[in-house]
């Protein structure tokens, strides 16, 4: 039996801590593909594509005869490895990694309608099954290597289910929502260290099949945790529901499930009926005890509730949100940033090779690149540490602001009015995006400088920007748009930016082709393109000033602005 929202609220800290751990171990683990690739090749996946000569090289990567015209073949853990094998395994990785982004739009729509519980249960089951598929394929790689395609597809789908559902959990933390969104995204981005960690266990002597079997068992624990603690209903935003109110009217006899604003409307309407009914009857008959009255005369039916609430449904449609300037500019910012970051990840080995000393041999160059690649993998944990910083910026001073429910509150004469929470959210988002884009520009400059040790700073900036940009966009959508549209908007943004990021492939081909492996001009072009990211904070700055100007005019105008019947537009009376 799924817990209620009130029960889930009492367990919110347990759910948040476990969600961070689960994201770290089960979400976007495919981002650590480099380590998984080595293990798959060591287990013989698609090794049959390689036709090793009789004098194959051993695992120590000793150099073959450079004058030989035959292709150099290597062995890893007794299995032959070759270029054809790399291409086939990378094709499987492309399928899985594309699902990490492409599935987000339909997943967001489903989550907004049905809640996160079912998706999270499905995602954990798919992840566990993907681990078992890889383990089964490793038992006979000559005949079962094809299973890696299905396994990585399920792995990407299950990991994104984990990530997406965890982004609704911060709704239970009120004014700290953006901070917790950033924490969830940070744990998602840091999951790239999972496969490198598993590779360490693998190198210590643990068998590949046993590691994956234990990992599948841990995914089953995620399934159990979700089944016990996650509610069936979607998590409403903090502006839509007060989880701390626990009132029980056993005599009202509600014939349906209601939460949030619907609950308050139900109770208010019932209270009005009681008040009106008692005032009309108090002169004609003695009052009855409320508990003895018929429930159907006091309560609203499901149909009555829907009719009463129809006019109070959120006025902003999904299409209006999609074509709003904030969402369109956020698309531009995310597309540019994703292309910049993904190109660097895909071309990192080639870039590092171009920066190494020309006097080094091929083997020594690969060793240097391997060291720097390991450093880059370890630094991915910075996402988990730094992402809450941008979330804290998004939540700055929100507790001191005036909420929409306090607009009609009386003030003492001469008492200054508190800042508007809506304007403060937009101002905080402006600061977050300015800071993130400055770091992105700094990353672009460090990529241009042809200095190998400086690339460690590029690694740090790359990792921080990757966590900051997702956290800032997630916090902006949570602050500006209705909570029921958060998943759909995030999914659409992720899908469009993923499609735009496919441009990194022709950029990479241009770098290794006409540019002879020199990334300078590609980096310069991407640096210029990164300047488009400042369009969003510039618009947010103008928008917040416009809202502040309207608020000041409303305060100074000798008219009294009130809302009639909870309408969306204020009516003015002199």
């Amino acid at each position: 039996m799924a817990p209620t929202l009130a029960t889930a609220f009492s367990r919110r800290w347990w759910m948040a801590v476990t969600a961070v751990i689960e994201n770290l171990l089960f979400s976007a683990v495919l981002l650590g593909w480099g380590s998984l690739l080595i293990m798959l090749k060591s287990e013989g996946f698609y090794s049959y594509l390689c036709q090793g000569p009789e004098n194959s090289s051993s695992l120590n990567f000793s150099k073959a005869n450079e004058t030989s015209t035959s292709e150099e073949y290597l062995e890893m853990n007794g299995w032959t490895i070759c270029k054809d094998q790399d291409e086939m395994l990378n094709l499987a990785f492309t399928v899985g990694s594309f699902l990490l982004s492409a599935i987000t739009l339909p997943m967001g729509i489903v989550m907004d309608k049905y809640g996160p519980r079912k998706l999270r249960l499905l995602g954990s089951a798919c992840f566990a099954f993907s681990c078992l598929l890889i383990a089964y394929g490793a038992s006979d790689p000559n005949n079962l290597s094809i299973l890696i395609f299905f396994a990585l597809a399920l792995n990407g789908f299950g990991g994104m289910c984990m990530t997406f559902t965890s982004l609704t959990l911060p709704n239970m933390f009120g004014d700290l929502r953006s901070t917790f969104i950033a924490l969830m995204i940070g744990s998602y981005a840091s999951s790239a260290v999972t496969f490198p960690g598993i590779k360490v266990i693998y190198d210590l002597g643990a068998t590949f099949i046993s590691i994956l079997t234990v990992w599948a068992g841990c995914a089953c624990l995620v399934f159990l945790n979700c089944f016990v603690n996650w509610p069936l209903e979607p998590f409403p935003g903090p502006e839509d529901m007060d989880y701390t109110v626990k009132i029980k009217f056993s005599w009202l006899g509600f014939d349906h499930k209601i939460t949030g604003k619907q609950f308050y409307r139900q109770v208010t309407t019932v209270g009005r009926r009681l008040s009106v009914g008692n005032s009309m009857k108090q002169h004609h008959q003695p009052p009855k005890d409320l508990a003895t009255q018929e429930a159907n005369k006091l309560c609203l039916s499901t149909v009555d509730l829907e009719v009463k609430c129809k006019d109070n449904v959120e006025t902003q449609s999904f299409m209006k949100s999609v074509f709003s300037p904030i969402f369109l500019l956020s698309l531009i910012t995310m597309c540019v940033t994703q292309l910049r970051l993904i190109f660097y990840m895909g071309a990192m080995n080639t870039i590092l090779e171009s920066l190494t000393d020309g006097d080094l041999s091929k083997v020594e160059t690969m060793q240097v690149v391997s060291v720097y690649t390991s450093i880059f993998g370890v630094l991915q944990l910075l996402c988990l540490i730094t992402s809450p910083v941008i979330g804290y910026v998004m939540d700055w001073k929100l507790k001191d602001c005036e909420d929409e429910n306090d607009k009609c509150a009386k003030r003492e004469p001469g008492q200054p009015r508190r800042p508007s929470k809506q304007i403060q959210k937009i101002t905080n988002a402006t600061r977050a995006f300015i800071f993130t884009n400055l770091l992105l520009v700094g990353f672009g400059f460090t990529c241009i400088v042809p200095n190998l040790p400086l690339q460690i700073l590029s690694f740090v900036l790359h990792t921080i920007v990757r966590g900051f940009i997702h956290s800032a966009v997630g916090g902006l959508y949570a602050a500006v748009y209705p909570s029921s549209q958060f998943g759909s908007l995030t999914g659409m943004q992720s899908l469009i930016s993923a499609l735009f990021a496919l441009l990194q492939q022709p950029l990479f081909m241009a770098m290794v082709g006409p540019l002879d492996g020199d990334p300078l001009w590609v980096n310069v072009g991407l640096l210029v393109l990164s300047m488009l990211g400042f369009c969003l904070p510039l618009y947010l700055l103008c928008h917040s000033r416009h809202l502040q100007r309207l608020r000041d005019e409303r305060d100074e105008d000798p008219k009294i602005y009130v809302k009639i019947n909870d309408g969306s537009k204020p009516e003015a009376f002199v």
Side-chain angles (χ1 to χ4, degrees), residues 127-141:
F127 193 97
F129 188 56
S130 72
C131 294
L132 294 178
L133 274 182
I134 299 176
Y136 182 57
S139 64
D140 186 10

Side-chain angles (χ1 to χ4, degrees), residues 283-311:
H283 299 293
H284 301 282
Q285 61 183 15
K288 296 181 179 179
D289 183 72
L290 295 179
T292 63
Q293 299 187 29
E294 296 182 8
N296 59 355
K297 294 182 180 180
L298 300 177
C299 302
L300 301 175
S301 65
T302 306
V303 178
D304 195 8
L305 177 65
E306 293 176 354
V307 173
K308 295 289 184 181
C309 298
K310 186 176 294 184
D311 296 333

Side-chain angles (χ1 to χ4, degrees), residues 402 406-418 551 554-556:
E402 182 181 81
D406 299 331
K407 288 184 177 180
C408 298
K410 295 182 180 180
R411 289 181 294 152
E412 296 295 333
Q415 180 182 0
R417 189 172 187 179
R418 291 187 297 164
R551 191 168 186 260
R554 188 159 39 189
D555 288 343
E556 295 174 0

Side-chain angles (χ1 to χ4, degrees), residues 235-242 259-262 264 314 482-484:
F235 296 114
E239 66 277 358
D240 296 329
M241 179 175 181
D242 184 1
T259 56
K261 289 182 176 180
Q262 293 183 353
Y264 295 120
E314 57 192 31
S483 59
S484 60

Side-chain angles (χ1 to χ4, degrees), residues 389-430:
V389 175
I390 208 69
Y392 182 75
V393 173
M394 297 288 290
D395 291 331
W396 180 256
K397 292 185 177 180
L398 289 184
K399 292 183 178 180
D400 301 330
C401 296
E402 182 181 81
D403 201 354
E404 287 79 3
N405 298 327
D406 299 331
K407 288 184 177 180
C408 298
K410 295 182 180 180
R411 289 181 294 152
E412 296 295 333
Q415 180 182 0
R417 189 172 187 179
R418 291 187 297 164
S420 169
K421 178 171 286 190
Q422 179 187 10
I423 297 176
Q424 186 66 36
K425 287 179 179 179
I426 297 176
T427 302
N428 292 344
T430 304

Side-chain angles (χ1 to χ4, degrees), residues 312-325:
N312 292 321
V313 179
E314 57 192 31
T315 58
Q316 184 166 334
S317 65
F318 177 72
M319 295 307 298
K320 184 178 179 181
S321 299
V322 168
F323 290 103
S324 63

